[in-house]
Amino acid sequence: MGSTSDKASGLTNEAIGNIKQGVGKAVGNERLQAEGAAQELKGEAQQAVGDAKAAVKKGADDLSDAAHRKL
């Protein structure tokens, strides 16, 4: 997955996790609340992976640009 798709998946998982938590709380289902919390954390982690990939790519691009300027 690329950084953009990681971030999109992360946002989706966070949103679904929040919905599950809300529904679980509304109906008194602790298991659904816990699933929602876990899915929200998964989404946050996916977004962090996407951010890290983007930072690495930017660093590599910057390094490549600097090397080309010196040639």
Side-chain angles (χ1 to χ4, degrees), residues 1-12 43-59 61:
M1 274 186 166
S3 65
T4 303
S5 59
D6 283 326
K7 289 178 186 180
S9 293
L11 285 172
T12 301
E44 290 171 3
Q46 283 175 312
Q47 287 189 65
V49 167
D51 289 342
K53 284 181 180 179
V56 167
K57 183 179 182 330
K58 184 182 179 329
D61 289 345

Side-chain angles (χ1 to χ4, degrees), residues 5 11-13 16 28-29 32 37 39 42-43 46-48 55-56 58 60 69-70:
S5 59
L11 285 172
T12 301
N13 274 316
I16 293 170
N29 186 328
L32 188 57
Q39 191 162 2
K42 177 182 176 182
Q46 283 175 312
Q47 287 189 65
V56 167
K58 184 182 179 329
R69 282 193 300 272
K70 291 190 182 218

Side-chain angles (χ1 to χ4, degrees), residues 25-44:
K25 186 174 183 176
V27 299
N29 186 328
E30 291 180 11
R31 189 180 125 256
L32 188 57
Q33 283 180 275
E35 283 179 18
Q39 191 162 2
E40 183 180 4
L41 289 174
K42 177 182 176 182
E44 290 171 3

